[in-house]
Structure formats: C-alpha cells, structure tokens
Amino acid sequence: MSNEFLARHLGPSTNDIETMLSSIGCSSVDEVISKIVPKNILFGNRMALDEGMTERDTLALASSLAAKNILATNFIGQGYYGTLMPSVIQRNILENPGWYTAYTPYQAEISQGRLEMLLNFQQMIIDLTGMDISNASLLDEPTACAEAMMMTKRSNKKNKSNQFLIDINTHPQTITILQTRAKPLGIELIIKDIQYHDFSDCFACLMQYPGTNGEVRDLTADITRAKDNDVLTIVACDLLALTLIKTPAEMRADIAVGSSQRFGVPMGFGGPHAAFLSARDAFKRMIPGRLIGMSKDILGNPAMRMSLQTREQHIRRDKATSNICTAQVLLAVLAAAYGIYHGAKGLKKIALSTHAKANNLARSLLDAGFELVTKQFFDTITVNTTDAISLFNSVQLNNINLRLINDNQLSIALDETTTVDELSLLVSILSAGSVSYCQSKNLLFNITKDNLRTSDYLTHPVFSNYHCETEMMRYLKRLENKDIALNQSMIALGSCTMKLNAATQMYPITLPGFSNLHPYAPENQTKGYQQLFKDLEQALVEVTGYDAVSLQPNAGSQGEFAGLLVIKSYHQSRGEEGRNICLIPQSAHGTNPASAVMAGMKVVIVKCDESGNIDIQDLTIKAEKYADKLSAIMVTYPSTHGVFEVGIKQICEIIHTHGAQVYLDGANLNAMVGITRMGEFGADVSHINLHKTFAIPHGGGGPGMGPIGVKSHLKEFLPGNPLIKNSNAVSAAMYGSASILPISWSYIKLLGKYGMQKSTEVAILSANYIANELKNYFPILYQGDHNMVAHECIIDIRPLKEQSGISEEDIAKRLMDYGFHSPTMSFPVAGTLMIEPTESESLREINRFIKAMISIYTEIQKVIKGEWDKNNNLLKNAPHIAIEMAGKWQYPYSREEALYPIDSLKQNKYFPPVKRIDNVYGDRNLFCSCPDIKNFE
Ligand SMILES: *Cc1c(COP(=O)(O)O)cnc(C)c1O
C-alpha cells in the first residue's frame, strides 16, 4: 500500500502521528476512530476505488482526457465568449496560491489585498452599467437574474402582482433557471415580446441587452412604460458591449445583472465565472451577495470590509436576502485585473475590433444572399436561412460551432479571439465558396447614434496606472502581500476544511482542452470531459454511499436548494405536494434555513441538548406534530458542533417514519470519507462541498462546487439540462463550474481508496490533538463519548471573556500579530472559536498554532490579574501594524511584546496593513466604490 502522494498530502509524518496518538492516550488510529464514530455507522472502507496514483501518472491521465476534448472554433455566444487571459494575470493570480488559497475576507484586516481587488471589480461594474452600486459577485448570470427577480419581489411595495415578465429575446438558460427558482416561490412567469406588452400584470421584468439573438435595441421606451405601471426593470447586459452602447442606467433600468466571463476568464465548459448584480442607490440595502465597502480603522485610515452582512444568510438565516455563501471571488478578481490591465481605452479597442469583425461578417453574408435578422448588433448576428440545420451541420464538420436558433435561423457570435482566417473559412462554407470574407477598413457602426455610449467609464486612476506589465506584476504582488493565505500559515477554519490544494491538482484547469470549451458545445467534442464526469460521479457515489450524483450545483448553497427541490419533486410524484415543513436544528449553517425558504418550505427549528446534540425528544414531538406536512430535515453530520452524534440513525428513522426525507449537509464530509457513508446510515440526499473535502481552493471566497448525491428513489428528480425548459436545472451549465472539477478528480486519483481514508483519520487525529493540548487553557465546548471530537473542535471563550473582557474577536485579531488567520468565529455558537486543522498541516505548524494560542491565554491572564489595563492592552489593540514601528510608542506594553510575542516571528513576520476596522462606521456610511485616491496619500 505505498502511496507516494499521500506523504505529500499529509502534514504529519508517521512519527508525528505516533506523537499525537500518545499525547491523546491512544495506541492506534483505529482506536481513535472506534472511540469517536458510533458503532452502528462504522462501516469500514468499502469504497470500490483504486489505490492512489503518482503525480506524474495523474497529470498524464488528466492531459489525455483534456486531449479527448475537441477545441473547435466557437461562434455560439449565448452568454459565453472566447477571451484572452493576459499571461501576467494567469501567472500572478490564477496560478498563484497567494491568491487562490485565501479564504472569504471575513477577517478584513488580513484581507485588504483581495478586498481592494473586489472593490475594483465593483467599481468596474458600476462604471460599465452606469448603476450606483454593485455586489462583488454571484454564481452565474441566470442565478443573478433569479436573485434580481427575488429582490424586485421583495422591494416592490407598490405592486403586489405575482407575475414576472421575461422578454422573449432572453438567453434560454436564463429562462430555465428562472422557471426553477420562480415555481417554489409561487411567482408566475410570463414570456413575451416586451415591446408589445402593456405591463399591467407584473411586478418586474427582465430584458437581455443586447438580446440573445444579438439585437441591440434601445430599451428606454419599454422601461419608461414599465415604470409608469410601477413595474421594476432588470437588464441582463454584456460588459464588453457596454463600452460602446448606452448603459442600462441611461435607459433608466433599476437593476443590471450579467457575467464578467469575457473579461479574461476562459469559458471552461460552463464556469466558474463571476456574475454581478448592480442597482440604483435606492436598492442598496436589498442587494444579495457580498458587498465590499470602505470603512476606516481605529487610526482613521481607510480600510475595506464586507458591508451589510446583517442581510446575509449567516446572520439573517431564513430571512436572508439570498442563500449565497461561497461565491466567485477569484473570478471577480481575475475580471477586475483584466479591466485594470486594459483600462477604458484597451477595452474599447477590443470592443471596436470585435464589432468591426461582426460588421464585416454581416456584410459578407448579405453579399452571399443571407437575410439579416439583427438590424443593430454589437458582436452577434442572426441570419435567416431556409437550410439552417444543414448549414449548422456542415460548418460543424469543419470544427466550427454556430448557434442553431431554430430551423430557419442561425446565430454567430464573435469575440476578441476571432481571427480573420476563422471568419474567411466560415464565410466560404456558408456561401458555398461564392463570397469571400470582406475586411473593411472603416469601422462603420451599424448601431444608431442615439444607442451609442457617450459617457465616460473606468476613470479612476487604478484603471490607468497598471498598463505596463512591470507595474501590473508589482501591483498584484503588493495586494497579495497584504493578505494571509495558505502559503503563509495554517488557516484552521472550522467547517471550511482549508486543506492542501496541491499544485498537481491545479495543473489541469489551465489545459486548453479543459478551459476553452463552450458549455453548449456538441457532445462529440466533449468526450474527455464526459469521461472525467463519469469517473468523478462514480467516485462520489463510492465515497457517500449514494446511488447517483449531479455535478450541477455551483456551491454548497446551490446544492442545498437543488437537493430540497429533489425532495419536493419526490413528494409531488407521490401526490403529497402538501409537505412543506423543513426541520432544521438550531446549530445549522445559515445557508440551510435560507435554502429551505427559497425552496418554498417553512422552517421549524429543532432544539439541541446541553451537549450540543439534536434534542431527539424535541425532534420526535415536532415530527409528530407536523407528520403529514413534514417534508424534510436538514442535518449536518458530523454536527456543526464537531461531534459524531450517536443518535443519527435514529434521527433518520424518525423522519422516515413520517414519510419525510433526510437532507444531510455534507460540509463535514472530510470526517467521514472511508469510514462511514451517509447514504448507508439513512440520509437521502446531500451536497458535497468540493472546495472543502475535495481540494478545490477557496479562491478568497469562491469558486466552489456543491454536487448533490441521492439515493436511487430520488435519482429521476435530479436537476436537468439548463437548455431544456422546466428541467429543474439550477445552473447555466449542465456540469456547473466544469473546469474546476479536474481538481477534485485529481485529488481522488492521487489519494485513492486508502489515501482518502488515511486523510480522514489524520484530520480527526489532528483535531483531537489540538483539543487535548488546548483544553487546559480553553474549555472544549462539545465532545462525544470518551471526551473526543470529530475533525474540528470548538473552544469556548465566554468564561475567559467574563473574567477579562477579552472577546473571541480580540483573540482573532491578536492571532494576526502571530501571523495566523483566526479559526471560525462565533459559528455555530456565539463567543466561541471553531478549529479545524485538516490532515494537511504538519505537527510543527499545529504546534506553532497551539503555542500562539497558549501565549494569548497567558496574555489574557495578565489582564485578569490586573497587570494590564482592561481596555488598553495587547489584545484590545490588536492587530499591531508596521507603521507603529516608527514614531512614539503609545501603548503601556513594549513594542517587542506587541510585535514579536514569540521568537519564531523574528524569522518570519507578517504585518497586517491596517489596524482594527470599524464595522459600524462602514455600515452606517455605505461606500462601495473606489475611494478618491487622495484618501490614500
Ligand atoms: C460551507 C458550508 C455550507 C455552505 O456551502 P457553500 O459552498 O459555501 O455554499 C453549508 N453548510 C455548512 C455546514 C458549511 O460549512
């Protein structure tokens, strides 16, 4: 059982494992597991999977699969376009763990680099759409449209209609996703040509701009008519087109949404890409998703943070504006970097050249006798033809993909990558050799003057200062250096599983065979991907004990929503559509209740007992009370308290007795792989966070993937093809963010059957080691039998706080002085820290963390003993920053104590760029665009 990669993946060596075992008083890993995992679910490793492969062989296999995908010339468009990622961005962001291994910027002081880039993203969206405020990313364009639909439903107080109008010229995948999302909320969709609609019957409407067929049409008149009827207006727009044509804001729209994919992010067979939602100022407190805003630190210096978090699921739960948690941070960062590198002039040049090519193509096709459907267009033209299907097919034989709109219409979309050779070939095939592609010199707009944009954009200096590569490289490095990512120190965030994202797992994502495929490419061009998906689905079936897997959901939250819809469809198929109660334990993650509400369910909270376990008596009472209305329970296992609850089987049985289904939140799967399987101990459906257990990096808060597994009776209800109406699809692409699936696939290939089991065991062992080493300083809040925890432990700060006034937040900030990212703060219990080391942290690093925690404990004791002032001390004033090294030292403790509390810091010291940030100020004075450069001088 030799596994070369396993030793690279695991932090602790064989000796370290012995050391940890003897520290916790166990003689073997088997003993640890048998004391922690309940006997009745301890199935052993029955995964029918191969043993691990070498890194070399895995890379070779990944490359051979990528090579089985055919790279055609794509003119499909429909929301996805070829684009050129500048090498300086690929090398310094996409391939740089300093960016891709960071976590969501909840600890703002050590996240200023990515916060700045996200603020740049918001500014770029604000400028291009003309809106007042933008969020920092959503999962994809159709779900952004769905979020906008829900937002207008909530905020339109004047119009109580239940109908949402979609213009007929909207991307088909958007219509499907809106169908999925509208139904459980009781919203009725009307799909009509908006030009001829009187708006008397709906609360809001959505228009695509340019239309899905490419038509650029001034929407001002329609929007004005909508406004006259108190109908809110949403425009799904194309960012590159907006450099040339009038903005949604100039047409008076309320909300603008879209995708930033074509700003340097490869199509990747569907994703990941950052969508956006921007709006007028009046809607700023209703915007879903993360919003970056300016605030200031306690020295008064400008500092960034996530604003208005009180609207988000982790605080508002079932009343949240959205269930979004993991979003598309890294992709928003990439798109912003593209905008910065090109600037206004560069983007406009790209847009003009794309437009010129489209113009020339249109002219050539008119010469060839085609009739143009799109009178005004930016980059996409649609033509009428009697033999659309045969032309579509003959072009495809030459590895060229067009979009077949119907039997009589073809659509052709161009982008920055389109070459003259490609267009020449296309024209020659379409005209049967009768016409050649005419390259005109003058860039005649086919767009009428009053549709053209005259307003400025990207005028902030950040969009003009970094156009040479040296400056760009250094700007990216400067931002990277402000943040703590996994390339700096361990990030022991409970529930988030910040494990190694191995370089070999990352390599395949940039292989052109994976990254350059259009999501709607014909199946015969995607054989490599199909095999990888089948492999991955099969492996996840083996890992979970389920019978089928859907790789569609783009994050855990989307998996929850998709899984609950599966449950709903199941009940419906049995004539029990009345079941709408979802039981959720108190301790659940915020996405659970938020997703249940999105799925049209009513949330009923189940209590937890003193030791943190689900109160089975309360569960029994509530299950009986709602019996025939009961739809599901959402339960996390091992629990969010970090314990393998003994009653899990019984809980599943109680739920099933009442005809309901068990949704098991799979975020903690890293504690189960190879040891137990949820599909075998009673769960019916789960999401699997591939960005936790299966090594997709967190990207600073996304991307992620949340596939769902189901038992066989639910298989037929899994999400379908987004291009097929009413298919219950939840993402724009059948396989979600397909291009990052090779990461999880590689992870499984590299570790194999026993490597994954061993990883689980070491993750559990390391968590118990930490709990044991810290328990004399910080009480461990919840433990199972034998006083042991699962793969994470919660330390209770409340008793210390009572004595000292030092809070969990003070500890989190003080850890920054020690060069560490805080563990998860106040989830699932306020006043606590939840620590999850994962299997990838070495004993040396774990001990360094423990030493820091004990040192902080000693500091707190000095406060308790009165040696240090209660309000003016090392912890309350943390973090300490570099500029405090100079000038008069103003604190009642030494510089050395503040900055170098332990010796090892003298060799490697990280300085946060700002002092503690004022959260209240930032929320009161909401400012979500790039600040005047003077503020930084
Ligand atoms: C991370 C997490 C989620 C949400 O998953 P995302 O991928 O961030 O949407 C849900 N439940 C639990 C317990 C989690 O830890």
Side-chain angles (χ1 to χ4, degrees), residues 817-819 848 899-910:
D817 287 338
Y818 288 81
R848 212 167 64 83
L899 298 165
Y900 295 98
I902 46 179
D903 263 356
S904 59
L905 291 169
K906 290 178 182 156
Q907 283 131 45
N908 182 24
K909 169 75 184 169
Y910 162 83

Side-chain angles (χ1 to χ4, degrees), residues 10-30:
L10 295 180
S13 66
T14 315
N15 278 340
D16 295 339
I17 289 173
E18 290 304 320
T19 307
M20 292 196 282
L21 280 172
S22 72
S23 152
I24 65 169
C26 287
S27 59
S28 69
V29 172
D30 284 346

Side-chain angles (χ1 to χ4, degrees), residues 330-341:
L330 191 69
L331 299 310
V333 164
L334 290 168
Y338 179 95
I340 288 166
Y341 198 46

Side-chain angles (χ1 to χ4, degrees), residues 325-326 495 555-557 560 589 591 636 640 665 667 687 689 691-692:
C325 179
T326 290
S495 213
S557 60
E560 290 173 20
H589 194 272
T591 51
T636 306
T640 51
D665 180 324
H687 71 262
N689 307 67
H691 48 297
K692 294 177 178 173

Side-chain angles (χ1 to χ4, degrees), residues 534-832:
K534 230 174 92 191
D535 262 19
L536 182 57
E537 284 172 6
Q538 191 50 40
L540 294 176
V541 159
E542 288 301 324
V543 164
T544 56
Y546 285 123
D547 299 308
V549 163
S550 161
L551 296 172
Q552 194 173 106
N554 274 323
S557 60
Q558 303 302 293
E560 290 173 20
F561 174 66
L564 291 175
L565 285 192
V566 166
I567 292 176
K568 255 181 112 106
S569 305
Y570 168 75
H571 288 317
Q572 214 157 35
S573 75
R574 292 156 47 98
E576 301 194 332
E577 47 273 293
R579 291 184 176 270
N580 72 337
I581 301 287
C582 185
L583 299 179
I584 301 183
Q586 261 167 351
S587 58
H589 194 272
T591 51
N592 291 187
S595 300
V597 169
M598 269 175 55
M601 295 184 179
K602 262 190 68 183
V603 175
V604 172
I605 301 294
V606 180
K607 288 190 208 142
C608 290
D609 65 18
E610 268 163 36
S611 34
N613 298 321
I614 290 178
D615 181 336
I616 294 193
Q617 205 184 345
D618 190 50
L619 173 75
T620 311
I621 292 168
K622 285 182 176 148
E624 275 166 16
K625 176 169 170 197
Y626 295 105
D628 47 349
K629 302 254 357 159
L630 198 60
S631 179
I633 188 171
M634 292 185 91
V635 34
T636 306
Y637 201 75
S639 73
T640 51
H641 292 150
V643 175
F644 279 95
E645 288 182 35
V646 180
I648 186 65
K649 256 189 130 158
Q650 194 191 347
I651 290 168
C652 296
E653 279 159 17
I654 294 169
I655 296 301
H656 286 147
T657 312
H658 293 285
Q661 297 283 288
V662 175
Y663 185 99
L664 193 139
D665 180 324
N668 289 341
L669 180 55
N670 207 45
M672 297 195 282
V673 182
I675 287 174
T676 182
R677 300 202 273 199
M678 51 256 232
E680 281 181 64
F681 60 68
D684 300 291
V685 47
S686 295
H687 71 262
I688 306 155
N689 307 67
L690 296 185
H691 48 297
K692 294 177 178 173
T693 309
F694 295 95
I696 291 177
H698 279 70
M705 272 295 277
I708 54 174
V710 297
K711 295 295 283 180
S712 56
H713 64 285
L714 298 178
K715 188 174 168 180
E716 61 182 295
F717 308 111
L718 284 172
N721 186 335
L723 296 181
I724 296 173
K725 298 265 129 64
N726 291 309
S727 61
N728 270 349
V730 295
S731 303
M734 187 66 198
Y735 300 96
S737 299
S739 67
I740 53 173
L741 291 174
I743 303 172
S744 297
W745 175 91
S746 303
Y747 174 89
I748 292 169
K749 289 284 175 214
L750 284 162
L751 283 174
K753 173 174 179 169
Y754 296 106
M756 285 200 285
Q757 178 190 342
K758 186 84 181 180
S759 298
T760 307
E761 291 167 350
V762 173
I764 291 176
L765 174 62
S766 294
N768 278 282
Y769 173 75
I770 292 184
N772 191 53
E773 296 294 309
L774 288 181
K775 68 171 189 243
N776 293 332
Y777 307 93
F778 306 93
I780 308 302
L781 188 57
Y782 296 120
Q783 290 167 312
D785 298 347
H786 305 283
N787 291 332
M788 291 175 86
V789 297
H791 65 312
E792 58 193 5
C793 65
I794 300 177
I795 59 172
D796 195 350
I797 309 301
R798 291 168 298 186
L800 276 173
K801 184 176 175 184
E802 195 140 305
Q803 293 174 281
S804 65
I806 301 297
S807 66
E808 70 285 2
E809 189 177 19
D810 297 326
I811 296 177
K813 304 305 174 192
R814 180 62 177 151
L815 272 169
M816 297 170 184
D817 287 338
Y818 288 81
F820 282 108
H821 190 296
S822 166
T824 301
M825 222 176 71
S826 290
F827 170 76
V829 184
T832 65

